[in-house]
Amino acid sequence: RCENLVEVYFQLQQQVMAASAELGPELLPRLLERFNEVLSSLVKSSFLVEKQPPQVLKTQTKFQASVRFLLGPRLLKAAPKPYVVRADMVTEKQARELELSNYSNTLSESTGEIMHNTVALETNPTSGTCCANFKNVLLKKIKRCERKGSESVTEEKCAVLFSTNVALTPSNVSVHLQVLSLPIVVIVHGNQDNNAKATVLWDNAFSEIDRVPFMVAERVPWEKMCDTLNLKFMAEVQTTEGLLKEHYFFLAQKIFNDHSARLEDFQSRQVSWAQFNKEILPGRGFTFWQWFDGVLDLTKRCLKSYWSDRLIVGFISKQYVCKLLSAEPDGTFLLRFSDSEIGGVTIAYVIRGKDGSSQVENIQPFSAKDLSIRSLGDRIRDLGQLRNLYPNIPKDQAFGSHYNSE
């Protein structure tokens, strides 16, 4: 499309030059100036990030990225030597200033030190592409900027700015090309990864397309949050079985700390960034996102097939489990994600006394480490007190395909 537009541009330019005598000394320069603006705008917007750098980026870790100039094969034919693209770290403030100047300003100083940050912009005649591939770039260190109030380093967004100067043929106009990557959160230690992912997820899910970098709403409709959690869950776990209405109800009760509202009441509510990943859940030592991310990690590593077979209810409260199981026969059980631990799955089952009274027990949660030693299916087979998966499926029928044959 960009190449077609450039062809139209050159045809128009030729027609104007051919009619220059009729256009006269007043109109011609105005048209030519407008032509330059149009060409420059088209050229600048055809310089794109093709492979984005990782959005959670650890210092001293190699990463890859690539930029592509869509009009390169058409407009950079006669260059004596290849042009060089440079990658620099920029802060949110610098990104904002670049956006406001419509990318006509150049960067005054880089906010971090990137090793191997210059790469040739090369045209590949067979594929007809013009790219700069950054293969083993490394962010050596980062300069942190002034933070607002209670902001943590994992809420600070930067970006990589890719820039180059090219001379276009045949007009020989010199153009400064620059493009920003998606927002990046820089971490220096693996234990910051979880909070950094929260910042990136919130930004990717809730930012507007045309925005001042990197502004994003502080509060979003709960329904939008449900869609986001569902997409994230399915993508991370790589399953086609998403979250259900009753799962959202449990998650809403958890994030809003409200156990009296009905399912419909939550639909009109807004959820804030603070509720998502700043405020500690009541009586716990972690935030909603830290807990949810633990569930993602556990399910991805150990429970994918069980979840996909719908053998795990997962997102359900202890109180509701008691309500469901207390009327069931002895040994009826179900699986839910632990409330008190990050990344644990627990088995709740009912015991009936001789007098007919029922008691619901919860087995100590299993972590990913436990399940890597002995799988969930085998643990369920081992436990003689478990008979039927709720509502009424014999456990060997439900979990038989997950038993280890040895």
Side-chain angles (χ1 to χ4, degrees):
R1 185 176 293 184
C2 285
E3 287 175 349
N4 287 344
L5 285 170
V6 150
E7 290 313 318
V8 171
Y9 165 85
F10 284 127
Q11 285 166 17
L12 280 172
Q13 197 187 34
Q14 280 171 346
Q15 288 168 4
V16 166
M17 293 314 285
S20 57
E22 292 100 295
L23 291 167
E26 269 202 13
L27 191 52
L28 182 66
R30 279 185 18 224
L31 276 174
L32 292 178
E33 191 186 337
R34 180 81 186 104
F35 270 133
N36 272 342
E37 283 170 18
V38 168
L39 180 65
S40 169
S41 169
L42 178 60
V43 167
K44 284 177 177 179
S45 59
S46 72
F47 188 56
L48 311 167
V49 182
E50 185 172 53
K51 178 182 169 56
Q52 292 282 352
Q55 283 188 273
V56 175
L57 185 56
K58 193 163 174 277
T59 53
Q60 303 294 347
T61 309
K62 285 186 176 173
F63 68 94
Q64 297 184 337
S66 67
V67 287
R68 182 161 164 187
F69 182 31
L70 300 177
L71 289 173
R74 173 73 180 77
L75 297 181
L76 301 183
K77 284 181 182 146
K81 60 181 203 300
Y83 296 106
V84 169
V85 179
R86 179 187 165 92
D88 289 290
M89 285 306 284
V90 294
T91 62
E92 184 167 341
K93 183 167 176 278
Q94 288 172 313
R96 203 165 292 169
E97 286 161 2
L98 283 164
E99 172 87 13
L100 289 170
S101 74
N102 209 1
Y103 295 96
S104 54
N105 286 1
T106 50
L107 187 66
S108 51
E109 59 158 347
S110 179
T111 185
E113 193 182 330
I114 301 183
M115 312 284 289
H116 316 299
N117 71 331
T118 53
V119 171
L121 185 63
E122 292 169 332
T123 304
N124 179 337
T126 45
S127 64
T129 58
C130 176
C131 294
N133 293 312
F134 291 81
K135 291 220 169 72
N136 58 348
V137 211
L138 180 130
L139 177 60
K140 196 168 174 193
K141 57 176 189 259
I142 184 82
K143 266 197 295 216
R144 298 289 185 190
C145 47
E146 293 290 309
R147 281 189 298 283
K148 307 182 274 287
S150 66
E151 226 179 30
S152 70
V153 291
T154 52
E155 291 174 86
E156 190 180 305
K157 290 177 267 197
C158 346
V160 177
L161 178 73
F162 299 97
S163 58
T164 183
N165 287 308
V166 295
L168 310 177
T169 47
S171 56
N172 209 24
V173 175
S174 173
V175 182
H176 179 65
L177 300 177
Q178 43 189 5
V179 64
L180 275 179
S181 74
L182 290 172
I184 290 170
V185 178
V186 175
I187 60 172
V188 294
H189 195 284
N191 64 9
Q192 297 172 312
D193 183 64
N194 165 292
N195 291 329
K197 282 195 299 196
T199 302
V200 165
L201 180 69
W202 188 278
D203 193 274
N204 287 346
F206 307 124
S207 57
E208 303 291 327
I209 296 283
D210 291 313
R211 60 161 171 178
V212 176
F214 292 110
M215 303 292 266
V216 62
E218 271 291 312
R219 310 181 74 81
V220 296
W222 171 243
E223 285 196 305
K224 266 186 156 181
M225 173 59 80
C226 290
D227 291 344
T228 299
L229 293 174
N230 184 39
L231 287 169
K232 182 71 177 163
F233 190 92
M234 287 165 74
E236 282 287 322
V237 177
Q238 292 193 316
T239 176
T240 52
E241 301 296 332
L243 303 181
L244 307 171
K245 211 152 83 182
E246 49 270 33
H247 295 149
Y248 295 137
F249 185 42
F250 165 72
L251 293 170
Q253 289 177 321
K254 197 173 191 69
I255 204 166
F256 293 114
N257 188 29
D258 182 346
H259 297 276
S260 59
R262 295 168 318 175
L263 178 65
E264 306 75 62
D265 301 340
F266 290 121
Q267 279 164 349
S268 58
R269 286 203 193 173
Q270 297 247 327
V271 62
S272 69
W273 162 250
Q275 287 166 315
F276 182 64
N277 195 46
K278 272 181 100 70
E279 295 164 2
I280 300 294
L281 292 170
R284 304 280 177 241
F286 43 81
T287 65
F288 174 85
W289 164 255
Q290 287 163 352
W291 174 84
F292 188 81
D293 188 45
V295 167
L296 279 183
D297 187 58
L298 174 75
T299 312
K300 177 168 77 177
R301 285 163 59 185
C302 310
L303 305 174
K304 178 182 166 178
S305 55
Y306 303 92
W307 174 271
S308 298
D309 292 347
R310 288 282 184 223
L311 298 172
I312 297 176
V313 180
F315 298 104
I316 185 170
S317 70
K318 215 171 187 174
Q319 295 76 359
Y320 193 58
V321 169
C322 284
K323 203 168 133 184
L324 286 183
L325 294 183
S326 54
E328 294 299 319
D330 194 42
T332 305
F333 69 97
L334 57 75
L335 292 105
R336 66 177 190 84
F337 297 123
S338 169
D339 259 335
S340 53
E341 290 182 23
I342 288 182
V345 63
T346 185
I347 303 171
Y349 65 99
V350 65
I351 305 170
R352 287 219 166 272
K354 291 206 167 60
D355 59 352
S357 65
S358 68
Q359 190 181 339
V360 174
E361 293 283 338
N362 285 278
I363 291 172
Q364 170 78 22
F366 302 122
S367 65
K369 191 179 172 193
D370 299 326
L371 298 177
S372 67
I373 296 166
R374 190 154 177 75
S375 75
L376 183 66
D378 289 342
R379 286 174 186 270
I380 287 170
R381 179 169 56 176
D382 295 343
L383 294 164
Q385 68 270 44
L386 307 181
R387 297 194 183 137
N388 292 327
L389 179 67
Y390 179 86
N392 188 22
I393 311 164
K395 79 171 178 187
D396 293 345
Q397 185 186 323
F399 290 92
S401 62
H402 297 277
Y403 294 162
N404 189 342
S405 55
E406 290 171 15

